[in-house]
Amino acid sequence: MRLHSYFRSSASYRVRIALALKGLPYEYAAVHLLKDGGQQLQPQFRQLSPDALVPVLEDGGQALTQSLAIIEYLEETHPEPALLPATPVERARVRALALGIACDIHPLNNLRVLKYLKKPLGIEQEGRDEWYRHWVQSGLAALERALADSPHTGLCCHGDTPTLADLCLVPQVYNARRLKSDLSAMPTVVRVADYCASLPAFEAAHPDRQPDAE
Amino acid sequence: MRLHSYFRSSASYRVRIALALKGLPYEYAAVHLLKDGGQQLQPQFRQLSPDALVPVLEDGGQALTQSLAIIEYLEETHPEPALLPATPVERARVRALALGIACDIHPLNNLRVLKYLKKPLGIEQEGRDEWYRHWVQSGLAALERALADSPHTGLCCHGDTPTLADLCLVPQVYNARRLKSDLSAMPTVVRVADYCASLPAFEAAHPDRQPDAE
């Protein structure tokens, strides 16, 4: 397998964690989102990813896109260790936690959106930082309620072993801290994210440990 | 089953199509996103949905959130007719098409984001409309490439029967037209969306056909 990844991309980070948890070796293909006007926009990469986004996982001649679709694919083709619980209701909970991050926080804060706020909208750095923190904090506050109120929450978002939800949570918290978001009102989010981040597979997937880390 | 829905919510529309395709009866609970300062923000609704978003599906005493998690749950508990293809690679393609809409287009254009652009950012109506069209058109242009370039595309996004991808596509195209986006460069997107929208289950799920339609 070959993973097209950018070290700081949250979505790439999620897939790196899944590959590490499942013990799957892969070749790392760096795609620099800032160099050369954005390497993801070059025709060669667009052949793999029509939406010009990382990550892309190449496996058996297929180019797979969208981090959550890639992780579901890995779950189906390499079921152990499972990243989704056994029952439909529990699986729905885990997927909802993951989508709460992947749909309702991350897309508002990725690079192309922050760029658009700068130009053409002319929002200054301070306004852009405030935008970032607004969506991260309201999104993570919702997640805090979902985690704190549920008997299913354990060391991880669902029970005591990592699921798809943790694969989304850890990169989002990493990003939130990098942009100095205030997480003091989210003790469960922080506890779970810190626990998961300490596990070897999460450590191996950390941005600082990637070949293209700066 | 009881579905908490707003007639114009894209995410609710997706779940209504899934329920109709699978022939599952349900009670319709209207949540008006604009009345009473947003009924989704009221404490009673927040008990069901920590992130204060529609849709919520209540089934067997459980409140399920996030449209794609709900649809995966319906797929697991009521497998016929299937909304995902049979092989992992094909399932990955369908999920990626769905997520391309659910993560990369829709979250940038929902009501709370447009509100934030207005206040505190002070972006005028014209700038907000331009924001809307920018993300819809760049997102649907990527989808056009993904559909036009693949031998898997049929009458629907994947083959000739509706999948999760079509459940996301039809509401997004409905929205795009409502805000007068130019879709002339996306003939495959338009062809597939119009074909699916003509099917009885999609018609039954249309915003205009809901009890809370205005």
Side-chain angles (χ1 to χ4, degrees):
Chain A
M1 284 191 274
R2 176 190 291 158
L3 181 68
H4 298 262
S5 167
Y6 176 59
F7 75 115
R8 268 192 188 142
S9 146
S10 284
S12 301
Y13 191 176
R14 295 172 196 154
V15 175
R16 294 195 305 257
I17 300 167
L19 290 163
L21 281 168
K22 290 181 180 290
L24 300 169
Y26 61 96
E27 181 189 336
Y28 191 101
V31 181
H32 203 297
L33 304 189
L34 300 169
K35 278 188 193 154
D36 311 326
Q39 293 177 350
Q40 76 281 12
L41 299 174
Q42 293 175 352
Q44 198 178 353
F45 184 73
R46 287 216 149 182
Q47 292 258 317
L48 294 174
S49 170
D51 45 14
L53 295 169
V54 288
V56 173
L57 184 70
E58 289 187 84
D59 187 28
Q62 304 285 333
L64 309 175
T65 63
Q66 290 286 343
S67 61
L68 297 192
I70 294 170
I71 294 166
E72 295 266 3
Y73 168 85
L74 292 172
E75 183 74 357
E76 292 177 357
T77 52
H78 304 273
E80 298 296 331
L83 301 178
L84 287 169
T87 71
V89 167
E90 289 179 272
R91 292 159 75 89
R93 177 176 183 259
V94 167
R95 286 190 174 114
L97 294 170
L99 289 161
I101 296 169
C103 292
D104 296 325
I105 305 178
H106 179 247
L108 293 164
N109 292 326
N110 76 8
L111 201 59
R112 61 193 188 129
V113 173
L114 298 173
K115 271 188 178 171
Y116 190 95
L117 289 174
K118 182 173 182 184
K119 201 176 153 183
L121 291 185
I123 307 294
E124 300 291 338
Q125 184 72 47
E126 196 186 320
R128 300 200 301 272
D129 288 352
E130 186 52 39
W131 163 280
Y132 184 97
R133 284 189 290 259
H134 174 78
W135 298 114
V136 166
Q137 287 180 4
S138 61
L140 289 181
L143 198 66
E144 174 67 25
R145 287 190 292 276
L147 292 177
D149 292 352
S150 170
H152 291 294
T153 305
L155 291 171
C156 302
C157 286
H158 194 90
D160 294 333
T161 54
T163 62
L164 177 63
D166 303 292
L167 273 55
C168 293
L169 180 64
V170 167
Q172 187 63 62
V173 168
Y174 162 81
N175 257 347
R177 284 180 167 143
R178 200 163 69 83
L179 276 94
K180 305 197 194 320
S181 296
D182 178 7
L183 303 179
S184 58
M186 301 150 202
T188 318
V189 161
V190 168
R191 172 180 68 71
V192 167
D194 286 348
Y195 171 74
C196 290
S198 74
L199 301 173
F202 285 75
E203 285 188 340
H206 192 281
D208 293 349
R209 298 276 293 273
Q210 304 318 304
D212 56 340
E214 283 162 8
Chain B
M1 286 191 274
R2 177 189 291 157
L3 181 68
H4 299 261
S5 165
Y6 177 58
F7 74 113
R8 266 192 190 141
S9 145
S10 285
S12 301
Y13 191 177
R14 293 171 197 154
V15 175
R16 296 194 305 256
I17 300 168
L19 289 163
L21 282 168
K22 289 180 180 290
L24 299 169
Y26 61 96
E27 182 189 336
Y28 191 100
V31 181
H32 202 297
L33 304 189
L34 300 169
K35 279 188 191 152
D36 310 326
Q39 293 177 349
Q40 76 282 12
L41 299 172
Q42 294 175 351
Q44 198 179 353
F45 185 73
R46 285 213 153 184
Q47 292 257 318
L48 296 174
S49 171
D51 46 12
L53 295 169
V54 290
V56 173
L57 183 71
E58 289 187 84
D59 188 28
Q62 304 286 332
L64 309 175
T65 63
Q66 290 287 344
S67 61
L68 297 191
I70 294 170
I71 295 167
E72 295 266 3
Y73 168 84
L74 292 172
E75 183 75 357
E76 292 178 357
T77 52
H78 302 273
E80 300 294 333
L83 301 179
L84 287 169
T87 71
V89 166
E90 289 178 273
R91 292 159 75 88
R93 176 174 183 261
V94 167
R95 288 190 174 113
L97 293 171
L99 289 161
I101 296 168
C103 292
D104 296 326
I105 304 178
H106 178 248
L108 293 163
N109 292 329
N110 75 8
L111 201 58
R112 61 192 188 129
V113 173
L114 298 173
K115 272 186 178 172
Y116 190 96
L117 288 174
K118 182 174 182 183
K119 198 175 155 181
L121 291 185
I123 307 295
E124 301 291 338
Q125 185 72 48
E126 194 186 319
R128 301 200 301 275
D129 288 350
E130 184 53 38
W131 162 280
Y132 185 97
R133 284 189 290 259
H134 173 78
W135 298 114
V136 167
Q137 287 180 3
S138 61
L140 289 182
L143 198 66
E144 175 67 27
R145 286 190 292 276
L147 292 177
D149 291 353
S150 169
H152 291 294
T153 305
L155 290 172
C156 302
C157 286
H158 194 90
D160 294 334
T161 55
T163 62
L164 178 62
D166 303 293
L167 273 55
C168 294
L169 180 64
V170 167
Q172 187 63 64
V173 168
Y174 163 81
N175 258 346
R177 283 180 169 146
R178 200 163 70 82
L179 276 94
K180 307 200 192 317
S181 296
D182 178 8
L183 303 179
S184 59
M186 302 150 201
T188 318
V189 161
V190 168
R191 171 180 68 71
V192 167
D194 286 347
Y195 170 73
C196 289
S198 74
L199 301 173
F202 286 74
E203 284 188 342
H206 191 281
D208 293 348
R209 297 275 294 272
Q210 305 316 304
D212 57 339
E214 284 162 9

